Amino acid sequence: MRTVVHLEPEDFARELVHNPKNVYARTYVLDCGLAVVIYMCQDSHFLYYLDRPDCSKEKKDILKSMNFYELHAEIYRKVNLDNRLRERQKDPSC
């Protein structure tokens, strides 16, 4: 099972420079109904995600008005759950 690690933008870029990986985006729907895009990459042991959600220009004010710590905790939970579900699909014996 991969460990989920959130990275600040500088750390995410540094990881990609030192250990090139494919970057992909996943969309998550927050509890408030707002859809955000999270950029991530992975290797055999870790799933790294960029700790800066993105959304449409029209919704950025909603995102900015949210509590910073609650937002990041919710995103971490959703990314971690998604990671676990994907791992189970690969190996149903988990």
Side-chain angles (χ1 to χ4, degrees):
M1 169 108 30
R2 287 186 189 96
T3 301
V4 174
V5 179
H6 77 278
L7 296 175
E8 297 295 321
E10 298 83 13
D11 298 324
F12 192 78
R14 190 176 307 115
E15 178 64 31
L16 293 174
V17 167
H18 294 302
N19 303 303
K21 298 171 181 62
N22 290 328
V23 175
Y24 57 96
R26 298 213 23 95
T27 302
Y28 294 94
V29 178
L30 302 178
D31 293 344
C32 68
L34 182 66
V36 295
V37 174
I38 304 294
Y39 295 96
M40 48 186 62
C41 61
Q42 61 188 11
D43 59 26
S44 59
H45 301 291
F46 297 98
L47 171 65
Y48 302 102
Y49 72 93
L50 180 59
D51 197 19
R52 294 293 184 272
D54 196 15
C55 63
S56 66
K57 284 192 270 187
E58 296 81 14
K59 305 290 182 175
K60 287 207 187 274
D61 288 337
I62 296 170
L63 192 62
K64 288 179 184 177
S65 70
M66 296 176 74
N67 178 289
F68 177 83
Y69 296 106
E70 289 176 7
L71 172 64
H72 290 276
E74 181 178 347
I75 291 171
Y76 178 80
R77 283 191 307 270
K78 290 181 185 280
V79 170
N80 206 8
L81 178 60
D82 185 34
N83 180 53
R84 287 178 185 243
L85 290 173
R86 288 176 178 280
E87 291 291 324
R88 281 190 187 223
Q89 285 178 344
K90 284 190 235 175
D91 183 11
S93 66
C94 290

